[in-house]
């Protein structure tokens, strides 16, 4: 065994040519700590932010919080049954915005479904002129033509931009001795089907019996399919962009990694952080993972390549002219991810990210999964449940073997066999690979839908192509 003197010598600072080696500096760590300190200081005068009003949105289309006066709120005062909860939600709010004019017969409404972290502010309005997350697609003469259609967009149930979610006040605490408190993780688990049913209660409130179309991208594409499935007689057409009818193991894995990092942040505190410092670090890292899945390698190459940041005057190359690399963000792609994480980490509620991403994981429209949830389409126009009225499903002709679940998925999608459906996939999509959109189109055709249109989009922008 080595002597104590030998071990101490082994731990001594390394010297080269008589000089002690300097420790590396970590300005990124220092900057993050400074922001954390500012957040904690702010707690002494106000509560911790769950959805920040910061305007530092960075280079990407912002998922920024709308001004509360710019959206309307539907309040549902009756108990609301949920798929995964034995107890109903006692009440809920849904924040929504609209564009265009509802026709006298109320037959020109389009319900636009959002992605995971988007607000109801899909496009600018008179009361909120800030550009929305789908600004270039909503308006006179645009894809969702407000000269013809009345467009409705909601913040989903479980969100934090005006709709009821984990950051909302638990009504059961309003009269407690301790005073009102947030739901936090007392909020029940949600399904995509719950989110859609809440939207249909809003449609009932607006007096809209049937939608002209249900349109959505990413998680919104899941909602769009679910809307047509739950209420086949109330949805005229379906548009599904960069989505899926069955969350794949790879996308589940990505979202699980995001939740794991977030829940490992000590400030998360099992979801009870609303009167404390929020999980700033976990949210930043979760957003960085998400950003990687939203874009594509070819885009990174075009935008950043292997370029490195310009060194400030305080950092100089070594005497021999070699640039000294840093363990903090050094490549431009690293600085971009750092910015994305930092600019997002206080704009969105951490618990909303956990709950909604889990609902995405649970989404599965195979017949087996739907039977397990005891879900059936509603309304007088729902397809017959008589097996004799449904012809057997056969596999399409393919050069490669189809996935084992394709027949099960086709059986699950049978309620959509009479609904015209447009499906768009993106060839560079990493999060929802284009094969998943092909599967939806194939399954619908196998289910008997003769009005399915499918397109694949090129480009290098990955999953966020829909933006």
């Amino acid at each position: 065994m080595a002597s104590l003197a030998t071990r101490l010598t082994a731990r001594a600072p390394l010297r080269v040519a008589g000089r002690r080696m300097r420790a590396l500096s970590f300005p990124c760590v220092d900057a993050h700590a400074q922001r954390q300190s500012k957040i904690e200081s702010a707690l002494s005068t106000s509560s911790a932010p769950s959805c920040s009003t910061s305007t530092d949105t960075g280079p990407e289309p912002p998922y920024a919080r709308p001004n509360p006066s710019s959206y309307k709120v539907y309040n549902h005062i009756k108990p609301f049954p949920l798929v995964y909860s034995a107890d109903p939600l006692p009440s809920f709010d849904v924040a929504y915005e609209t564009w265009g004019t509802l026709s006298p017969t109320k037959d020109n409404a389009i319900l636009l479904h959002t992605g995971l972290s988007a607000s109801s502010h899909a496009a600018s309005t008179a009361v909120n002129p800030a550009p929305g997350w789908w600004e270039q697609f909503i308006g006179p003469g645009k894809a969702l033509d407000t000269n013809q259609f009345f467009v409705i967009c909601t913040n989903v149930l479980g969100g934090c931009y005006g709709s009821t979610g984990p950051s909302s006040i638990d009504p059961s605490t309003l009269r407690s001795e301790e005073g009102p408190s947030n739901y936090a993780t007392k909020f029940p688990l949600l399904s995509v089907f719950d989110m859609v049913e809440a939207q249909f209660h809003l449609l009932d409130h607006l007096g809209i019996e049937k939608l002209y179309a249900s349109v959505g991208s990413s998680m919104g594409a899941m909602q769009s399919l679910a809307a047509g499935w739950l209420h086949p007689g109330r949805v005229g057409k379906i548009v599904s962009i960069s989505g899926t009818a069955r969350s794949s193991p790879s996308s589940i894995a990505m979202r699980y990694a995001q939740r794991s990092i977030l829940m490992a942040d000590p400030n998360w505190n099992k979801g009870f952080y609303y009167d404390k410092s929020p999980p700033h670090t976990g949210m930043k890292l979760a957003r960085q993972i998400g950003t990687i899945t939203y874009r594509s390698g070819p885009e990174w190459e075009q935008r950043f390549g292997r370029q490195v940041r310009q060194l400030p005057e305080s950092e100089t190359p070594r005497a021999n002219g070699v640039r000294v690399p840093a363990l903090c963000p050094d490549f431009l792609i690293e600085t971009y991810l750092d910015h994305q994480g930092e600019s997002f980490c206080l704009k969105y509620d951490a618990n909303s990210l956990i709950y909604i991403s889990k609902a995405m994981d649970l989404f599965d429209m195979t017949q087996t999964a739907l039977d397990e949830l005891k879900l059936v389409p509603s309304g007088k126009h729902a397809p017959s449940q008589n097996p004799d009225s449904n012809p057997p499903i056969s596999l399409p002709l393919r050069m490669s073997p189809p996935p084992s679940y394709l027949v099960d998925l086709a059986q699950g999608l049978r309620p959509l066999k009479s609904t015209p459906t447009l499906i768009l996939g993106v060839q560079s999509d990493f999060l929802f690979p284009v094969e998943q959109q092909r599967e939806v189109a194939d399954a619908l055709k196998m289910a008997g839908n003769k009005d399915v249109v499918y397109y694949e989009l090129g480009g290098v922008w990955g999953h966020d192509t829909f933006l």
Side-chain angles (χ1 to χ4, degrees):
M1 180 178 291
S3 66
L4 177 61
T6 301
R7 282 180 281 158
L8 289 174
T9 301
R11 294 176 183 174
L14 177 64
R15 296 176 182 270
V16 178
R19 296 175 56 191
R20 178 175 295 187
M21 301 294 287
R22 291 182 299 174
L24 294 173
S25 61
F26 295 93
C28 56
V29 176
D30 296 338
H32 189 77
Q34 289 174 4
R35 185 166 189 184
Q36 184 67 36
S37 178
K38 289 180 181 179
I39 294 169
E40 292 172 354
S41 297
L43 289 171
S44 61
T45 56
S46 62
S47 60
S50 58
C51 291
S52 171
T53 57
S54 169
T55 57
D56 181 18
T57 58
E60 303 306 318
Y63 292 110
R65 183 176 187 170
N67 186 311
S69 65
S70 72
Y71 58 74
K72 301 174 184 177
V73 178
Y74 162 66
N75 176 240
H76 188 79
I77 60 175
K78 297 179 181 178
F80 179 61
L82 301 169
V83 169
Y84 295 109
S85 176
D87 299 317
L89 197 61
S91 62
F92 67 82
D93 290 340
V94 167
Y96 69 100
E97 295 179 53
T98 64
W99 301 262
T101 304
L102 188 61
S103 65
T105 55
K106 299 186 177 182
D107 61 354
N108 68 333
I110 292 177
L111 180 60
L112 175 62
H113 307 273
T114 73
L116 188 156
S117 56
S119 72
S120 60
H121 192 61
S124 55
T125 62
V127 293
N128 185 358
W133 57 266
W134 235 34
E135 184 75 23
Q136 58 187 317
F137 298 100
I138 301 172
K142 296 181 180 180
L144 301 188
D145 189 349
T146 52
N147 288 333
Q148 301 181 54
F149 302 113
F150 180 67
V151 182
I152 309 163
C153 183
T154 79
N155 177 224
V156 296
L157 189 67
C160 63
Y161 295 139
S163 294
T164 297
S167 60
S168 302
I169 296 298
D170 178 357
S172 69
T173 66
L174 291 175
R175 296 190 178 126
S176 67
E177 294 182 1
E178 295 81 9
S181 63
N182 309 84
Y183 273 111
T185 46
K186 293 183 294 180
F187 196 74
L189 287 175
L190 296 173
S191 74
V192 170
F193 297 102
D194 297 325
M195 299 173 186
V196 171
E197 286 289 15
Q199 292 171 327
F200 271 86
H201 281 295
L202 167 62
L203 296 179
D204 292 340
H205 169 71
L206 297 175
I208 298 171
E209 172 60 26
K210 184 172 182 177
L211 292 168
Y212 179 84
S214 172
V215 179
S217 305
S218 189
M219 185 185 77
M222 298 177 176
Q223 296 174 72
S224 187
L225 290 171
W229 190 93
L230 285 169
H231 300 280
R234 299 187 64 179
V235 177
K237 297 177 176 64
I238 290 173
V239 178
S240 172
I241 307 170
S242 297
T244 184
R246 173 188 177 272
S247 279
S248 68
S250 61
S251 66
I252 293 172
M254 289 293 182
R255 289 187 288 268
Y256 170 73
Q258 290 178 279
R259 291 194 299 271
S260 295
I261 286 175
L262 179 48
M263 294 165 75
D265 188 325
N267 287 346
W268 182 63
N269 192 35
K270 295 185 178 180
F272 292 88
Y273 53 82
Y274 294 106
D275 57 347
K276 306 176 181 68
S277 183
H280 168 218
T281 301
M283 281 293 280
K284 177 177 179 177
L285 297 177
R287 178 62 172 182
Q288 289 180 352
I289 292 176
T291 300
I292 293 171
T293 70
Y294 299 152
R295 318 302 291 201
S296 79
E299 184 195 5
W300 297 142
E301 186 66 43
Q302 287 186 18
R303 292 177 64 179
F304 306 114
R306 290 181 53 82
Q307 296 181 73
V308 293
R309 66 188 172 92
Q310 185 175 358
L311 290 176
E313 292 183 1
S314 59
E315 300 178 47
T316 57
R318 291 204 314 243
N320 61 2
V322 176
R323 186 184 193 278
V324 179
L327 293 180
C328 278
D330 205 16
F331 288 98
L332 290 189
I333 181 60
E334 294 176 318
T335 65
Y336 173 78
L337 289 177
D338 185 69
H339 172 85
Q340 284 292 299
E342 198 65 66
S343 65
F344 177 82
C345 62
L346 294 179
K347 287 182 182 176
Y348 197 71
D349 181 49
N351 283 336
S352 284
L353 178 62
I354 290 172
Y355 273 74
I356 296 176
S357 69
K358 185 65 177 184
M360 293 176 70
D361 292 352
L362 295 168
F363 188 66
D364 184 351
M365 296 192 72
T366 59
Q367 188 63 55
T368 299
L370 295 168
D371 287 344
E372 289 176 355
L373 297 180
K374 298 179 173 58
L375 287 173
V376 293
S378 63
K380 60 184 179 181
H381 300 288
S384 170
Q385 298 302 306
N386 182 0
D388 296 335
S389 66
N390 295 319
I393 288 175
S394 60
L395 287 168
L397 295 176
R398 286 168 168 251
M399 295 298 291
S400 58
S404 59
Y405 54 81
L406 189 59
V407 171
D408 197 6
L409 181 59
Q411 290 171 334
L413 295 180
R414 265 179 164 152
L416 299 176
K417 65 183 179 181
S418 299
T419 307
T421 303
L422 169 64
I423 299 170
L424 298 179
V426 176
Q427 293 170 351
S428 58
D429 195 335
F430 172 70
L431 183 60
F432 289 85
V434 73
E435 289 77 16
Q436 294 183 22
Q437 287 90 57
R438 294 173 187 165
E439 290 170 5
V440 176
D442 283 345
L444 285 168
K445 293 174 182 177
M446 292 163 59
N449 192 324
K450 301 183 184 303
D451 202 353
V452 178
V453 178
Y454 173 70
Y455 287 108
E456 285 183 13
L457 305 177
V460 297
W461 301 284
H463 182 64
D464 272 0
T465 296
F466 74 85
L467 291 174

